[in-house]
Amino acid sequence: MELPTEAPQAAPRRISQERQRLTGLPLYFQGNLSVRRSQCQEFRLFWTELRGTTLFFYDDKKAPTYSHKLDISALTSVTNMKPNENDSAQFILMLLNEKLEVKTDNCEYGKEWKGFILAVTKLSVPLDESLSPGQLTRIHEVLDKEKRRRILLNDCSSISQNKESLSSKDYSTTTTTMPACFYAVSRKEAIEMLENNPSCGNLILRPGSDSKNYAITVRHMLDAPCIKHYRVTSRGRSYIIELERQVTVTSLQDVISYFVIQTHGILKPFIMQTCNEAPQTDQSYESKTQ
């Protein structure tokens, strides 16, 4: 089986990094896709990225922000259509509430797109004997990454649910479900909690210094223990993580998940499971005020 003579080139590194910050999701596959949502429409060509279980559509390869996106986690089926005379591949993605027609320039890219999409949504490698060994290897690698990503997300969600159940009385007047690693402590107290209880985790969500927003305090090991703080600003129904390039998410739990996923699990939510003691040591760590 012959592969296409020219594979689609990736977006420039700077653009790719910008998209990574904006989406907060790992990139699994990318290239040109022509899509339409109904047969009465014309196909439109997009530079498309598969990140997690979401398709992001860009007007061109160098556009830093996507024009729209489509969550395909609820994919029900993929139906192949007959290839036309110019050897392009065409298939239909059936979702719960809509369908999306997809077309690629040639059959080989169509097989890859279909394989990656099925792998991340069904968490299994599609049984397509026409896939080359190289294609199958890449799909297996992406499948492993997506499984690990799901485990991290499930762990964060489970911890949050467990703490909410145990502390329902304390949070009965709270309108927003707080992540399990949220503590109403000061910057100094957060540092002490992390330093005194390293086995409990290394990431704390706490109130910001202005009492209106939030902050993340983390402790991780480089050549020596390192403490960092990140401001999280509440804006309407969204939360903005104040990094070099701002990241916007829709919940505080998504804030935690962003840090966990971006560090590949190195950062872990801080959970005091049995100890309710206040920090007792006095540290003099200096860093800028949130």
Side-chain angles (χ1 to χ4, degrees):
M1 178 187 301
E2 293 185 0
L3 294 177
T5 56
E6 294 185 5
Q9 297 298 311
R13 181 179 179 82
R14 178 179 59 81
I15 299 298
S16 181
Q17 291 175 338
E18 173 104 0
R19 293 172 180 172
Q20 178 74 29
R21 294 188 185 96
L22 291 174
T23 64
L25 291 168
L27 175 62
Y28 293 152
F29 195 60
Q30 61 184 335
N32 287 314
L33 274 186
S34 296
V35 300
R36 67 179 180 184
R37 280 188 158 85
S38 68
Q39 291 187 345
C40 63
Q41 295 178 337
E42 295 292 329
F43 278 100
R44 182 177 173 186
L45 181 66
F46 292 97
W47 181 261
T48 309
E49 293 183 340
L50 174 61
R51 291 181 177 272
T53 54
T54 302
L55 291 172
F56 291 88
F57 301 99
Y58 300 84
D59 291 331
D60 58 65
K61 184 189 297 185
K62 296 184 178 181
T65 57
Y66 56 88
S67 61
H68 63 285
K69 63 180 180 178
L70 179 65
D71 182 359
I72 58 172
S73 58
L75 181 74
T76 58
S77 66
V78 179
T79 304
N80 286 324
M81 301 181 69
K82 287 185 178 181
N84 59 25
E85 296 178 355
N86 62 6
D87 196 39
S88 67
Q90 190 170 335
F91 51 92
I92 298 176
L93 304 179
M94 294 298 300
L95 305 173
L96 288 177
N97 299 318
E98 66 174 312
K99 71 175 184 178
L100 184 73
E101 288 188 58
V102 177
K103 185 168 65 174
T104 64
D105 288 340
N106 60 65
C107 288
E108 289 303 317
Y109 290 145
K111 292 173 187 175
E112 284 195 287
W113 271 110
K114 180 183 174 184
F116 282 106
I117 288 172
L118 287 172
V120 300
T121 55
K122 304 303 181 183
L123 292 183
S124 63
V125 175
L127 300 177
D128 189 340
E129 296 181 359
S130 64
L131 288 170
S132 70
Q135 291 170 331
L136 285 172
T137 298
R138 291 192 294 273
I139 291 174
H140 272 289
E141 290 173 350
V142 163
L143 177 58
D144 289 341
K145 291 179 182 178
E146 177 61 15
K147 285 181 177 179
R148 289 196 296 269
R149 187 181 78 91
R150 300 275 189 101
I151 290 172
L152 289 173
L153 288 175
N154 289 337
D155 286 348
C156 289
S157 178
S158 297
I159 290 171
S160 179
Q161 291 173 4
N162 289 340
K163 182 171 180 180
E164 180 186 2
S165 176
L166 292 172
S167 308
S168 57
K169 292 182 179 180
D170 295 334
Y171 288 91
S172 59
T173 59
T174 303
T175 58
T176 302
T177 301
M178 302 300 291
C181 58
F182 172 79
Y183 297 90
V185 296
S186 67
R187 171 203 288 262
K188 179 181 176 182
E189 289 171 330
I191 294 173
E192 293 172 346
M193 290 170 69
L194 294 175
E195 291 179 336
N196 295 341
N197 306 276
S199 63
C200 294
N202 53 8
L203 181 153
I204 285 178
L205 174 68
R206 59 180 175 81
S209 58
D210 60 3
S211 299
K212 297 179 181 179
N213 296 297
Y214 299 89
I216 292 284
T217 296
V218 302
R219 180 180 188 267
H220 57 95
M221 300 295 294
L222 297 174
D223 295 331
C226 177
I227 297 285
K228 289 189 176 181
H229 308 277
Y230 302 91
R231 185 178 292 110
V232 179
T233 304
S234 175
R235 184 172 298 173
R237 297 184 178 181
S238 300
Y239 297 89
I240 299 173
I241 306 172
E242 302 288 353
L243 304 174
E244 183 179 353
R245 292 283 192 274
Q246 291 183 343
V247 174
T248 302
V249 295
T250 57
S251 70
L252 289 172
Q253 186 58 57
D254 287 342
V255 172
I256 306 304
S257 297
Y258 177 84
F259 281 92
V260 173
I261 292 171
Q262 291 298 307
T263 61
H264 303 287
I266 293 175
L267 292 180
K268 296 179 175 61
F270 182 94
I271 309 297
M272 291 288 288
Q273 303 203 4
T274 58
C275 177
N276 292 319
E277 297 179 1
Q280 297 177 345
T281 60
D282 185 12
Q283 303 292 333
S284 59
Y285 184 88
E286 294 184 2
S287 57
K288 63 182 181 180
T289 304
Q290 296 291 344

